[in-house]
Amino acid sequence: MPALKFANILLEQNERSMSYPSLYCKSTEPVIFNKNEQAWELSGQGDFDFTTYFNSLSVEKLMRYTNAEGFRLHLELKGSAAKVLQTYADAFASHPILMEDNCIEVAPSDDFYEYELDIQVPNGSVLTGFKIETTGSLFLGNCYYIVNHSSPQKNVELVLATTTFKKESFIKHNISLVNQSILSSGEDIANHFNMHVVDNGRTLDVEKLTTEHIHIHPNNNVGGAGGFTYGMILAMEQQPKATHILLMDDDVAVSPESIKRTYNLLKILNDEYKNAFISGAMLNYEVGDEQWEDTGYMTERGTFAPAKPGLRLTKFEDIVYNETFWVPKEIRKSGQRYAAWWYCCMPIEVIEKNGLPLPVFVRCDDAEYGVRCKPHFITMNGLGIWHMSFHVRYNAAVERYQTTRNTLIAQHTTGFAPHSDFFAELRNNIRLELKKFGYENAELCLDAFEDFMKGPEFYSAQGMAEKTFMDANKNKEKLIPFDQLEKAAHAIGLTDFHIRDIDRQLIDSDKPRTFIQRASDLITDNNQHRIVSDGEGYAVIPVLGWAYPAGAIRGKKYLIVIDWYNRMGAIRTRDNNRYSVIKRRYKEDLKKYKQIKNDLSARYSQSRETVTSLEYWKSYLNI
């Protein structure tokens, strides 16, 4: 029966592995890299359990997605006497279940010896792993899982495409990892792999970074959508032509082993899943065992949401839950699920069938494409990246301008998310910003709506995507450093405001409201409509656009918004006249939309074939 070396037993030397070692191995003694031996050392008598996020084997998913028919564990060991025991978990396991009768006795030795364990898969198994009980120090050499499969392996040419804009440290580090751990690995992937870096900032040293399999492409600033589309075109036109493309953000940390496992998975997919999207999870860059998203979907109210609840991947029950979780039926049937492009692998054949992405610069490009293609989605423990926290990356130009405009464009062009009400989301966001005196950000929503009404000819014109995004960044609310914020507060009479008195508990707190107060806030938009007041005092609130500390903000004259992570903030002042102007503008925009709705929808729908075509994109990218 054919066999495939599927997954290396992974131990790493980096900040995350030091901070969260139980993502890799849970042990009673340290696991260290021995420089003299150039091998990992289980350092002392103890128990070392590899039934973890990175080192368990997802047998249930492998049986579902691939032609797998059996599994083996290959170990190369030297040192003290030890015992290797298989472990497994069913859907209800809160800790690894030991299989005492399926084990290997390891004799003490001064040289590496090879051992293989046939893995048993009891009924109901979700994942399997192994535990090593040592009598002293033991060294691990080349250790990995083998998958026996029933059909010939598929030919795979994998492209990793990433687009970057002036994030040299991230991208150079990832290029180095690819060189060291993939292209120099001696594994099959090394001969069937290319990395295309689309440099929208034109700041990378092309000559220094380019190799036979790593290619740097200086490019105009066309955003993530344009950069990833360029990557797709390069993958389709390279020699040999790629079979699959893995899209990955630039500002992420990745284990090269995730890429290797993705490649190996592609080689043995069964017919049902051969055109699936392989979606990598988003883990928290700063809290390395925290998983935020593992595929997402568009809600009925028009927001992006994770399909799974948040998990902590050093908890064994969460590792199991991550594998057993079934996306709720209402989400699956809605057809509104997608895989984000921080780590998403898709077949070139699917791209050729469904066309290229929309030229929307940033935001919604990946969601629209995933919904448009309607693929199966594959997720699995050990496949993913670490990305910066949402509160670190909050940008009103993205959330209020890009998201508002692009969701409407996508829905009208390709029928994206037909069950989502993006007009309701527009209305809610404008009201939310107005209640919090975020007038600049409310105006960004209207800028987006008005630019959407200019039709496909406007947003798809060469250079317009960058210009409109730069304009949005110019027009959004400006934050200033804490020391300047305190001086600005004192200058307008808020002399009791001191940064030293502020903490996260205060920023994130709210106050209760009575029913009457809630009704009043709803009717008056925090006393800016019908019952109008000048307000008094101030409140401190988070900068995040979706935060609504309704009790804290009601009746205030000033709101001090805080971005605590970046130590920035802004002072918002109640302006009832500006509120009225924005409300009037919104009303006039809605009236205009009703007049042009049918014609506008038809123009967007008719533009689909053009803006997703290879010919359009080559012209747009100056290829």
Side-chain angles (χ1 to χ4, degrees), residues 6-18 20-26 49-58 62 73 127-130 143-145 253-262 280-284 288-291 312-316 318-320 322-323 343 380-386:
F6 179 73
N8 294 295
I9 302 307
L10 181 64
L11 295 165
E12 294 187 298
Q13 296 184 86
N14 54 45
E15 184 178 348
R16 288 178 307 282
S17 61
M18 296 300 105
Y20 303 93
S22 51
L23 285 170
Y24 305 83
C25 178
K26 293 186 177 181
D49 193 341
F50 290 83
T51 322
T52 58
Y53 176 72
F54 276 115
N55 288 320
S56 59
L57 187 66
S58 304
L62 284 168
L73 173 64
L127 53 83
T128 67
F130 63 99
C143 303
Y144 51 86
Y145 289 108
V254 64
S255 169
E257 178 62 22
S258 290
I259 299 172
K260 293 179 184 179
R261 293 179 187 182
T262 299
M282 177 199 271
L283 279 62
N284 187 339
D289 69 334
E290 186 176 66
Q291 179 175 286
R312 298 302 290 264
L313 300 175
T314 50
K315 295 173 62 177
F316 187 76
D318 280 10
I319 297 170
V320 174
N322 206 29
E323 295 292 271
Y343 190 105
M380 188 176 290
N381 280 341
L383 300 182
I385 51 87
W386 289 267

Side-chain angles (χ1 to χ4, degrees), residues 200-217:
N200 285 347
R202 294 176 176 260
T203 56
L204 297 176
D205 188 328
V206 177
E207 185 175 345
K208 184 178 179 179
L209 296 173
T210 298
T211 67
E212 182 183 358
H213 293 283
I214 294 178
H215 317 277
I216 312 299
H217 306 273

Side-chain angles (χ1 to χ4, degrees), residues 606-617:
Q606 290 164 9
S607 74
R608 171 177 177 168
E609 186 174 346
T610 297
V611 297
T612 61
S613 69
L614 184 61
E615 181 182 10
Y616 165 83
W617 270 105

Side-chain angles (χ1 to χ4, degrees), residues 438-510:
Y439 305 114
E440 291 95 339
N441 298 337
E443 287 169 340
L444 285 180
C445 293
L446 292 177
D447 291 343
F449 187 29
E450 290 162 6
D451 283 353
F452 157 71
M453 287 195 288
K454 293 174 183 175
E457 306 83 6
F458 174 77
Y459 91 95
S460 63
Q462 197 169 42
M464 189 56 67
E466 180 185 16
K467 181 185 183 304
T468 53
F469 184 52
M470 295 300 290
D471 287 346
N473 273 294
K474 190 185 303 179
N475 295 331
K476 71 182 180 183
E477 177 179 57
K478 301 300 184 292
L479 304 183
I480 56 177
F482 277 172
D483 57 342
Q484 295 179 30
L485 183 69
E486 186 168 301
K487 292 177 182 177
H490 294 174
I492 60 173
L494 304 180
T495 55
D496 60 339
F497 174 78
H498 299 282
I499 288 296
R500 66 174 181 267
D501 298 330
I502 307 301
D503 57 26
R504 288 180 57 194
Q505 183 177 358
L506 174 63
I507 295 167
D508 293 333
S509 64
D510 197 4

